[in-house]
Amino acid sequence: MDKLLSPDYLDLTYRADLDLLVGRWMRNPALAEMQQGYNLMLNAATTCGCMRWLIDARRRDHTNQNGIPWMMEVFYPQLASRLQGRVHLAFLLAPVHLQALEADTSLLPLSYFDTLPYQIGRFLEEQAAITWLDSHCPMRKGEMVRL
C-alpha cells in the first residue's frame, strides 16, 4: 500500500496488490477542494496506470451538487484519454446519501454510463464495491496479488 501525497481532506492510497486507487474524503470539501482532490486522484491513477478506483465519500455530510456539472463536463471526459481505457469508479456512500441520490430525478441513472469510457457504481459497503470492481474491471493480466 502506497500512501500518496494529498491534502488533509483527502486520504489517497494506491493498492498495488489490488491495482486499486483509493480516495477517502476525510470531510466535506469545498468545491475547489473537491476539484483539486479529483485532479490529484486522476494524476495518481495516470502515474500508476490504474483503472479501478474506490472513492469513499461516507464522511462527507452530503454530495456536492454544485460539483456535478464540473464532474460531468470536465472531469469524467478526461478519464479515458488520460488513462487510455475504461475506468471504473466505485463510490462508497452513507445510506442517507445513497437514498437521496437514487431519489433525485435530476441526476442521470447509472445506466447512462454503460456505454461511456467510464463506469460508475454506488455502494454502501466496501466489500461490495471491490467485488463490483473485480467483476467489471479485473486486475491487469500478469499481475498477482501479493499476500
Side-chain angles (χ1 to χ4, degrees), residues 65-78:
Q65 295 293 345
N66 295 333
I68 291 173
W70 177 82
M71 294 288 288
M72 296 296 295
E73 297 165 16
V74 177
F75 181 72
Y76 290 145
Q78 297 178 64

Side-chain angles (χ1 to χ4, degrees), residues 19-32:
D19 189 30
L20 184 66
L21 181 70
V22 180
R24 295 189 193 279
W25 294 103
M26 305 311 287
R27 62 172 170 79
N28 198 51
L31 179 59

